[in-house]
Amino acid sequence: MPGNRRSEHVPEHREKNARPSRTRTPDRAPRSGAILILYLLLSLVYTWPLARQLTTHMPGDGGDDPALAWNLWWIKHRLIDQVNLDFFHVDYMFYPIEINLAFYTLTPLNGLLSVPLQTGLSLLLANNLVLLSSFVLGGYGVYLLTRWLLIRYPLTPLYRGTGVTPIAIVAGIIYAFASSKLFYPALGQFNIASSHWIPFCALYLLQMAHAPTAAGRARAAALAGLFLVFQAWSELTYASFLIIFGLLLFGGWLLQILRTRHRAPTQGATRSQALGAWLTSGLIFGAVFAVGLAPFLAAMLPDLRAEGDFFGMGGGFADIFSADLMGYLFPTMLHPWWGEWASRLPFPNDKGQQIFVGYSVMALAAAGAWAAYTARKTQPTAARLGAFWIGAGALFFLLTLGPNLRWAGMDLPIIGPFEWVSRLPFFSGNRYPSRYGVMLMLCAAVLAAYGLAWLHARAPRWVRGRHTLAIVAVLLFSVEHLSLPLPLTDARIPSIYGTLARIPGDFAVLELPTGWRNGARIVGRADELIMLQQWYQTAHAKRRLGGNTSRNPQSKFQYFTDAPLIGDLIALMNADRDHLAAALEPELDALIAHHRPTAGQVLVDLGVRYVLLHTEPARSPPALQRFVQEALPLTLVGAWDGLDWTGQPAGIRLYAVDATVNATQPSSAQPSRARTIDLTAPAGNLYLAEGWSAHYTGAQPLRLAQRAQVDLLLPAHRAPTTYRLTLEPTLPPSTDFDVRWQGQPLTDWTLQGGELTITPPVATTMARLTLDFGPAPLAPTAWTDGATLDSSLPAINLPATNLLVRSAGEEVGDFAQIFVNGHDHAPNLIGYNLVALTSTGTVLETAAFDTHGDPAAGDALAHWLTQWPAGTLIAGAVADEASLNLNAAAVAALATVGSTVDLRGQFRSSHAFIGMVGAQPGQAREAVTLLTPAAVGHGIPQETPHIFGGVHTLHSQTRP
């Protein structure tokens, strides 16, 4: 064969006791700086035209990119400007209830690294440079990984002039610039583009498993753990992928040890010594990762204990974000030549679901797999490593396909491993199976390097000397994976936000329209504007009510939906939706009249001093703009008109809240002012954070503390104010009761009988008062002795059981809850959720019927109701929507349990009821609403099994 002269051979790695030769190859590696510069230049090419607009635009489509660029600002603002190390808990969005950013794609390591760039350059330039560095470091990491593999454990003899460096550079290009990664900057998902620490962790995991000394293994294990921490702090999802990679490697290492009877496969150690090395390495790796992840866990665990496991919420979207088998055959929709055709492929491919490996890469990877197979006798260790990459690549390929394999958008009768992996703790947070493609491309890059080296060793001498194969491989890869031009978002901030920034003081702003978004749903206006508003905060640095996160408990959304004024503003933000317009238009005058006397006080209590209104009708419906003008006490102080980030005409008006409406903030000439807030009324929702019971008509005048520690949100007050809180029941003197203000102990408080008196510090924004009732819940008799239960419908013989039924259509909560003595039995699925109970309150059966999307659901609901004997209690709640496929049979069946509600024609309305089989229409206890959740109950509004206390009213006395 060509070039098979002995004089041209580099000595092969002959294995003795699996110890690799240290013979150096003739390849002379250039300095790392030259490789980094090369990858930097390539990153500018592959992301064009970003290089031309580095200071005015950011990559993305305006969806996720503004909020993810905000991340960098927040880290600096919290650590440097506010001198506060806790950057996980933030009340600068989701104000006043705050949000836990440990469940958000915060990318804290990116933020920390960007601080000098923000200080010396600008936030926008820092964001773009951090993104470009992910390409550079990712490519360089794979370059180091494949170079180490090709030198230490080659699958084929290396000839003089082979040049490991060009082959390793090609592998880095494959990993760093694959179209599946370029899709994430195109979407503005900078967190998912931050995959650059993965190859470094993989490199040191491999070095750990093959280090000849204990010190070498310990060092490699520690470095592998460190880079896993780096990856977790850049994008936590990828850390879970690396854990799978590490488990595969540790499993293969252990299997190899156990298969050897007397000697370990490497280092000439006994089996017990090899097992000790395996265990020690794993402990070091795990310990470093555990220490590095501890701040995340410390921030997460309290919320998980209080709210339940909401980390995996939205997992039902996995089928949408799975890769399709057909997609592996075609370039992505971002390709400059074939993209338009690819966008019409019959499967979802617009959010990075399509993983196109490329025919050139697949061919090289196949050659690498063949090289591993043929080297199993001459280079067994190298062959085992090749087999490891083949196996890992196959697993990650299957994981990208999601719960069920698909071809051209059609489900195949094959369940993928994602279905089981996604059920595991920590791994359940990944809703996007296609993101496993980053690990697939890592395996493909390594196997392609093996294949390129195998082809290079067999090519004519003139081909090897000029690196022709490497150059051709890069050209073919580029033709297949080009994603140009990269979509960009105009990140220039309207000057009105600069005006707002120059106003001194700590206060909140209300933006209209706005929204609250996580990875599963949006409350408020579903518009890119709500993401840009988060970016605009980097200019004004004021607190804002709206916000974006990844995962949050339902209560974080429900606070705003249930809050006075804010809840109706949310409906008005969407007044251009047909079903909402039909309800709002005839009621708009009454709505304005209702809020005009109280809206100013709500804004002042919140600490909102300014309101920003976007005036373009496409974003602010006329009903919203009229409400703002007529119901809110505002004074225009500034205006901006220009082009928005899409290049369309836009306008923003800046209003000041009229301070004269704030009777709780008197001047020195004003007398003292007393005020009483009824916390049991719907308006009391504004002052109740998480953990309090819901309100429903007919309930006892009481708010229940359903956790040992609950928070009240005290109104903003610029003058000294004393608060008196009425508690129920009266707490005995021996009660382990405590009070904290803004998380810190408060000494100025007294508790006498059922009245708590405090004098907190002055606060210009809403502040948290934490009530700690102690660890022991109260006995149920504390709530029933002397209480009058709702008995408005004596025809239904309700049991001595606490029942609470809550329903929320999509805009006002999207949930169904049926609580029996504090236990929720509703399936919480779209449509009607029903629970059958005995006359004593024992749950017999639960069911859900999708009368929105399933034409057969109405008949199934009717049949389910007919099976129960007379006297059976039926509780029902609608989640999301239940009208479109509700039929006459279902409506008639609901009438047999006392309901008179017919949801047909009432799109996304909420409906909650408690009825009885055999009751007459009208005898059910029920509520139906559109603009708010619906709730009915019996007894106390108990949503948890244990109750710790209760409150009635909040009295305040403000001194001049």
Side-chain angles (χ1 to χ4, degrees), residues 911-930:
H911 180 206
F913 69 89
I914 301 173
M916 179 180 289
V917 175
Q920 296 299 311
Q923 288 187 318
R925 191 171 296 171
E926 63 184 334
V928 59
T929 60
L930 175 63

Side-chain angles (χ1 to χ4, degrees), residues 328-662:
Y328 277 93
L329 303 178
F330 304 106
T332 71
M333 61 184 295
L334 297 179
H335 198 282
W337 305 318
W338 303 308
E340 184 178 352
W341 173 81
S343 66
R344 297 193 295 267
L345 290 171
F347 55 85
N349 62 354
D350 61 331
K351 298 297 181 185
Q353 307 100 317
Q354 187 177 351
I355 312 297
F356 177 59
V357 177
Y359 292 97
S360 60
V361 175
M362 286 192 290
L364 289 173
W370 174 254
Y373 175 77
T374 57
R376 64 191 185 280
K377 293 183 178 180
T378 58
Q379 302 288 341
T381 300
R384 282 194 297 268
L385 281 169
F388 168 79
W389 288 106
I390 294 169
L395 174 62
F396 289 118
F397 164 71
L398 292 174
L399 286 170
T400 67
L401 302 176
N404 286 88
L405 276 63
R406 292 182 175 189
W407 173 265
M410 303 295 293
D411 284 340
L412 301 176
I414 303 173
I415 297 176
F418 181 86
E419 176 69 16
W420 294 281
V421 172
S422 63
R423 297 179 184 180
L424 299 174
F426 188 62
F427 297 93
S428 62
N430 177 34
R431 300 183 293 259
Y432 300 82
S434 59
R435 290 179 180 173
Y436 280 102
V438 69
M439 301 302 297
L440 172 61
M441 292 309 301
L442 176 66
C443 298
V446 171
L447 289 171
Y450 280 141
L452 192 57
W454 184 80
L455 292 173
H456 207 297
R458 285 155 178 78
R461 186 173 182 179
W462 65 271
V463 172
R464 297 198 307 270
R466 292 172 176 81
H467 311 307
T468 305
L469 287 178
I471 294 172
V472 170
V474 171
L475 291 176
L476 290 175
F477 169 85
S478 298
V479 169
E480 292 183 306
H481 286 267
L482 276 181
S483 301
L484 298 177
L486 189 71
L488 301 178
T489 297
D490 189 339
R492 287 170 288 191
I493 299 176
S495 59
I496 194 73
Y497 291 97
T499 302
L500 184 61
R502 290 188 291 271
I503 301 173
D506 181 12
F507 56 86
V509 296
L510 172 61
E511 299 150 302
L512 297 172
T514 193
W516 297 262
R517 176 184 182 267
N518 67 14
R521 65 186 298 257
I522 296 174
V523 172
R525 186 72 179 181
D527 192 285
E528 291 175 357
L529 173 64
I530 71 176
M531 307 299 282
L532 269 297
Q533 287 171 344
Q534 193 154 327
W535 169 247
Y536 297 158
Q537 187 184 38
T538 67
H540 64 72
K542 307 301 182 184
R543 301 172 191 267
R544 52 186 302 266
L545 276 66
N548 171 66
T549 185
S550 299
R551 294 161 185 82
N552 58 274
Q554 176 183 290
S555 59
K556 296 294 184 181
F557 282 161
Q558 211 57 35
Y559 170 83
F560 298 100
T561 302
D562 294 344
L565 179 63
I566 307 301
D568 284 335
L569 283 171
I570 290 173
L572 289 164
M573 292 174 200
N574 296 300
D576 50 0
R577 298 181 183 179
D578 292 342
H579 66 290
L580 291 177
L584 286 168
E585 287 177 6
E587 299 295 330
L588 185 57
D589 288 338
L591 198 63
I592 291 172
H594 170 74
H595 282 290
R596 187 182 288 121
T598 59
Q601 188 67 68
V602 170
L603 294 177
V604 170
D605 282 356
L606 281 168
V608 172
R609 287 175 53 191
Y610 291 88
V611 174
L612 286 158
L613 176 65
H614 292 257
T615 58
E616 55 270 35
R619 292 199 167 92
S620 291
L624 173 64
Q625 297 198 44
R626 183 185 164 204
F627 182 90
V628 170
Q629 297 292 336
E630 298 182 20
L632 305 185
L634 305 175
T635 300
L636 181 67
V637 295
W640 173 87
D641 293 285
L643 301 179
D644 66 12
W645 68 96
T646 67
Q648 298 300 311
I652 305 174
R653 301 294 178 262
L654 176 62
Y655 297 93
V657 176
D658 188 351
T660 61
V661 302
N662 185 13

Side-chain angles (χ1 to χ4, degrees), residues 847-863:
F849 303 93
D850 181 8
T851 54
H852 165 72
D854 183 1
D859 290 337
L861 185 155
H863 176 74

Side-chain angles (χ1 to χ4, degrees), residues 772-792:
D772 188 343
F773 286 95
L778 298 178
T781 55
W783 312 107
T784 56
D785 290 349
T788 301
L789 301 182
D790 180 12
S791 56
S792 59

Side-chain angles (χ1 to χ4, degrees), residues 832 891 894-902 911 913 920-924 926:
Y832 269 100
V891 174
L894 291 171
T896 65
V897 299
S899 173
T900 59
V901 172
D902 183 350
H911 180 206
F913 69 89
Q920 296 299 311
Q923 288 187 318
E926 63 184 334

